Amino acid sequence: MEAEDNIQKMYKYFGILADAKENIAEKEPEYLEILSAVKGSTKEKRLASQFITRFFKYFPNLAAQALEAQLDLCEDEDICIRKQAIKDLPVLCKEAKEYLTKIADILAQLLQADDPQELLVAQNSLLSLFKIDAKGALTGIFSQMQSNEEIVRERSMKFILNKVMALGKEIIKKDVEDLIIAECKKVMQNITCEEFETLMTILSSTHLINTPEGQKELVELLASTAELDQFFNPKDLDQVNRFITCLDYSIPFFSAHVESTKFIVYICELLNRYTLIKDNDKQFIILKSLAESVPYCGKLMNPEAVVGQVYQALLDLVTVPENDSNKKVEDMDLHRVEALLYTFHKLGKQCPDFLSKDPERQKDFKKKLLYVGTCTQTFVKVVRQDLKEKGEEDVKNDPTVEKKLEGLKLACNINTLIKELFNIPPRFKATVNLSWLGGATKSKLAQIIQEGKKHEPITVDGKSKRIDGSNNSQQLYQPPKDKFSAKFSNNTNNNNRRGGSNTGWNAKRSFDTNNANRRSWRPY
C-alpha cells in the first residue's frame, strides 16, 4: 500500500513540474523528492530514471546530485533498472551539452557490461550522443582509453572502430576525424599489441590513408612507436615484437612518395645481432621485411656503411666447406640468402664501387656466392628434371608442386642476382620478384617443364665455375622443409597487409616499459 502511495506521489511531482513552466525553478523540493526515489521500489526507480533526466536542465544547482542519483540507478542490482537508467542518460545532454563529455565517459565505462542486452543499450546510448556532439562524445570515450581497465579500453577502441567509423561522413566529418587521429596518437604508446592493431585499423579508416602526406604521417607514427632511436636488444622480446609489428604495418605505405629509409638504416644496423633473437621465424621476418622495404629506400647519408652491414650479414650467413673432398652442402636457409642478396643488390646502386674498390672484399664475396650459386643451380636442374619425368598430369596432381615451384623461383632469383653482382663492374639492373610474394602457380607449370633453354652456369671472368668442376659430385641442396610452408605466404593487399609473420596479435605487453602496471606481450 505504501509503495502504491509513493508511485502516486511520483506522478504528482511530475505533474507539478510539468505544469510549472517558467516557474519550474521554484519547484526544487518536488525535484528533490524525485531524486530520493532512487532508494525506493523497483517501479519508483524506473520512474525516477525518466523524471530525473526529463527535468534535469531546469535545476542546475542540483545537477551534481541528480547525476549521482542517475548513476546509482545505472549500478542497480536489477538489470532492468540498469538498462532503463543507461537508456535515459543521453537525455541529460540534449539541452545541457556541457555534461555530454562526462556522460560519454560514463557510458564508455559501462561498455564492460557482461550481459549482451545491457551492452547493446550502452552502445546505443553512446551512439545517440554523436548526433548531439560527435567531438564531445569522442573526447569522453578516449579518456577511458587512458584507463588501466583493459576491458574498458579494448571495448572502447572496438566501439569506435565498429560503430563510430560506420556513422558516415554526415557525422564523422574531417574535424572529427582529425580528433580521432590526434587521440589515437596519444594512446598509441601504452597499449597491447591487439589494441595496436585496432588503433591502426581505425587510423586506416580515416583520410590519412588517401594521400601520400597522410601515409607519411602514419609511417612517422609507426616509426615513433617502434622506437627507432633506441638500441635494438635482440634478447628483449617486448622490443622485438613491437618492432616487427610496427614494421609490418609500415610496409604497405612505403612508396615513391613515402620512403622506408629510417627503417632500412635501423634494420641494417641490427644485422650484426639479429641471429641472437631466439625465434628463428622472427629472424627471417626481419630479413623478409627488409627486402620488401628496400625498393623504397631514399638517399642514404652513409651508403657504404649500410651496404657494408648487409655484406657482412651475407658473409656470416653462408659457410663454404673447407674440405673440398667432402662437399656436403650446408643446411643454408636460402630464403635468408635471397632476402639479403636482394637487399644488397638494391642498396648497391647507391655505392656501386663497394666491391670493386677492395679486391680482397670482392674475392671473399665471390667465393661465398659461387658456392650458393652452385647449390641453387643443382637444385634447379634436379627439380626441373623431376617435374619433367613425372609428366604434366602427374605433376598437376602433386600436392607438393606449389612448394617446388616456389623453390624454383627462389633459386632462380638468387642465380639472377649473383650473375648481376659477378659482372665487372657489378650491375644493378635486373628486376627480381621475391619468391615469397607469390606468382609461382600451376598455370606456369607447362612453361617451366617444357623450357628448353639450357640453364646458364655462373661465370667468373668469362669462365664457367663450379665448386669441383663436376656435375655429379655435388650433393643436391634440400631447402629446410618449413621454409616453403604456407605460413610464409604474403597478402600483398596494401590496405590490409599482415605479411606471413603472424606478428604478435596474441601478444599482451604494453609498449610503455616505464609503466609499473604494464601488461606483458605474450610471444606468438
Side-chain angles (χ1 to χ4, degrees):
M1 198 61 189
E2 182 182 352
E4 291 181 9
D5 290 341
N6 289 338
I7 296 299
Q8 291 300 320
K9 288 180 181 179
M10 290 285 290
Y11 282 113
K12 177 185 175 182
Y13 300 142
F14 176 84
I16 292 172
L17 294 174
D19 294 338
K21 297 181 180 179
E22 64 270 8
N23 297 323
I24 192 171
E26 301 173 3
K27 305 299 181 182
E28 280 192 5
E30 285 78 7
Y31 192 62
L32 284 168
E33 289 292 336
I34 290 175
L35 296 183
S36 66
V38 299
K39 306 295 184 183
S41 65
T42 298
K43 198 166 186 179
E44 286 178 79
K45 290 177 180 179
R46 297 191 69 173
L47 286 174
S49 175
Q50 299 172 61
F51 297 168
I52 289 171
T53 55
R54 167 75 180 272
F55 300 107
F56 177 80
K57 63 182 178 181
Y58 299 112
F59 301 99
N61 294 334
L62 299 175
Q65 190 174 341
L67 186 56
E68 189 66 30
Q70 191 70 16
L71 294 184
D72 286 343
L73 296 175
C74 290
E75 297 175 349
D76 197 88
E77 293 181 356
D78 189 328
I79 188 173
C80 293
I81 294 173
R82 294 201 304 270
K83 288 163 61 177
Q84 179 71 55
I86 294 169
K87 181 180 179 182
D88 293 333
L89 261 179
V91 180
L92 296 174
C93 309
K94 286 187 176 179
E95 294 187 41
K97 293 183 180 179
E98 64 270 24
Y99 292 97
L100 186 141
T101 296
K102 184 175 181 63
I103 297 301
D105 183 303
I106 293 167
L107 287 170
Q109 295 178 56
L110 294 173
L111 291 176
Q112 62 185 307
D114 294 326
D115 182 80
Q117 291 300 316
E118 185 178 357
L119 176 60
L120 182 60
V121 172
Q123 290 175 339
N124 289 337
S125 291
L126 259 178
L127 287 174
S128 68
L129 296 182
F130 279 82
K131 298 177 182 179
I132 302 171
D133 179 7
K135 294 174 76 173
L138 280 169
T139 301
I141 296 172
F142 271 102
S143 68
Q144 279 304 311
M145 293 190 194
Q146 305 285 357
S147 165
N148 283 327
E149 288 292 333
E150 189 167 318
I151 186 171
V152 174
R153 189 175 57 254
E154 178 186 340
R155 291 191 179 183
S156 294
M157 290 179 186
K158 289 186 176 178
F159 174 79
I160 290 177
L161 174 61
N162 299 322
K163 302 292 185 180
V164 174
M165 301 307 291
L167 289 175
K169 297 298 181 183
E170 290 185 5
I171 294 177
I172 309 302
K173 300 176 182 178
K174 186 177 183 300
D175 61 331
V176 178
E177 278 196 356
D178 288 340
L179 177 62
I180 291 173
I181 293 166
E183 293 293 336
C184 282
K185 289 180 179 179
K186 288 180 184 178
V187 301
M188 188 68 81
Q189 297 299 323
N190 187 27
I191 53 176
T192 67
C193 199
E194 184 177 354
E195 291 165 352
F196 175 83
E197 180 184 34
T198 303
L199 282 184
M200 285 306 303
T201 307
I202 292 172
L203 289 170
S204 296
S205 302
T206 67
H207 58 265
L208 287 181
I209 199 74
N210 299 322
T211 64
E213 292 77 15
Q215 294 167 10
K216 185 176 182 180
E217 188 175 341
L218 283 172
V219 169
E220 290 293 334
L221 174 61
L222 289 162
S224 174
T225 306
E227 298 179 345
L228 300 187
D229 58 339
Q230 301 295 316
F231 177 80
F232 183 84
N233 180 3
K235 296 182 180 179
D236 184 345
L237 185 59
D238 296 359
Q239 189 180 21
V240 172
N241 284 343
R242 179 175 62 248
F243 174 71
I244 289 175
T245 301
C246 293
L247 177 57
D248 186 56
Y249 264 99
S250 299
I251 290 175
F253 301 121
F254 293 148
S255 67
H257 306 288
V258 184
E259 294 182 354
S260 60
T261 314
K262 284 185 179 180
F263 281 97
I264 296 300
V265 172
Y266 188 78
I267 300 173
C268 289
E269 192 279 331
L270 64 84
L271 286 177
N272 64 349
R273 56 191 180 282
Y274 84 99
T275 54
L276 297 177
I277 299 172
K278 289 184 179 180
D279 190 321
N280 286 331
D281 285 351
K282 291 179 184 177
Q283 294 178 19
F284 173 65
I285 289 166
I286 289 176
L287 296 186
K288 181 182 73 170
S289 299
L290 171 63
E292 291 179 34
S293 306
V294 77
Y296 311 106
C297 181
K299 185 174 178 60
L300 296 168
M301 292 183 63
N302 190 354
E304 184 169 0
V306 177
V307 173
Q309 289 159 345
V310 182
Y311 165 83
Q312 190 58 51
L314 266 168
L315 293 190
D316 294 341
L317 180 62
V318 179
T319 303
V320 180
E322 294 182 1
N323 187 353
D324 287 345
S325 62
N326 182 17
K327 299 178 179 61
K328 181 180 179 181
V329 178
E330 298 295 319
D331 188 21
M332 288 183 297
D333 183 343
L334 287 187
H335 262 127
R336 297 193 189 204
V337 174
E338 178 191 18
L340 285 171
L341 200 56
Y342 179 86
T343 301
F344 184 87
H345 183 261
K346 286 291 184 183
L347 295 178
K349 294 179 182 179
Q350 298 197 37
C351 189
D353 60 347
F354 177 82
L355 291 174
S356 57
K357 72 178 184 180
D358 187 335
E360 199 62 34
R361 176 191 291 168
Q362 189 171 41
K363 179 181 177 182
D364 291 343
F365 189 72
K366 286 190 173 183
K367 180 181 179 182
K368 296 270 187 174
L369 294 191
L370 179 62
Y371 177 70
V372 174
T374 304
C375 297
T376 55
Q377 284 185 327
T378 305
F379 173 72
V380 169
K381 180 178 179 180
V382 174
V383 172
R384 286 194 182 193
Q385 185 63 33
D386 176 63
L387 292 174
K388 206 167 185 178
E389 288 176 356
K390 284 186 175 181
E392 190 171 337
E393 285 303 316
D394 290 339
V395 169
K396 285 182 179 180
N397 297 323
D398 185 349
T400 66
V401 67
E402 295 289 351
K403 183 163 63 174
K404 291 176 180 177
L405 286 174
E406 186 181 344
L408 284 175
K409 184 179 179 183
L410 165 66
C412 290
N413 282 350
I414 290 175
N415 285 336
T416 298
L417 293 168
I418 291 175
K419 288 175 187 177
E420 285 269 290
L421 297 172
F422 270 25
N423 196 67
I424 301 178
R427 289 184 306 210
F428 305 96
K429 296 181 180 180
T431 299
V432 171
N433 296 315
L434 294 165
S435 62
W436 60 80
L437 293 181
T441 62
K442 291 184 180 182
S443 63
K444 297 183 179 181
L445 195 56
Q447 178 184 349
I448 292 175
I449 296 174
Q450 300 300 328
E451 202 171 52
K453 182 181 178 181
K454 184 178 179 181
H455 194 79
E456 297 180 9
I458 294 173
T459 60
V460 179
D461 300 330
K463 298 180 181 179
S464 176
K465 290 284 185 180
R466 295 188 60 85
I467 289 180
D468 60 355
S470 166
N471 289 332
N472 298 321
S473 63
Q474 176 66 44
Q475 181 175 331
L476 172 64
Y477 170 75
Q478 296 291 344
K481 292 182 179 179
D482 64 339
K483 300 305 176 184
F484 297 117
S485 64
K487 69 180 179 180
F488 288 125
S489 66
N490 254 9
N491 176 4
T492 56
N493 185 320
N494 279 349
N495 291 327
N496 189 22
R497 178 190 180 275
R498 291 294 176 272
S501 64
N502 297 327
T503 312
W505 304 137
N506 294 323
K508 291 291 182 182
R509 182 165 294 176
S510 162
F511 293 163
D512 182 3
T513 55
N514 296 318
N515 182 356
N517 296 318
R518 67 187 182 142
R519 294 156 301 284
S520 62
W521 288 68
R522 185 171 65 248
Y524 51 82

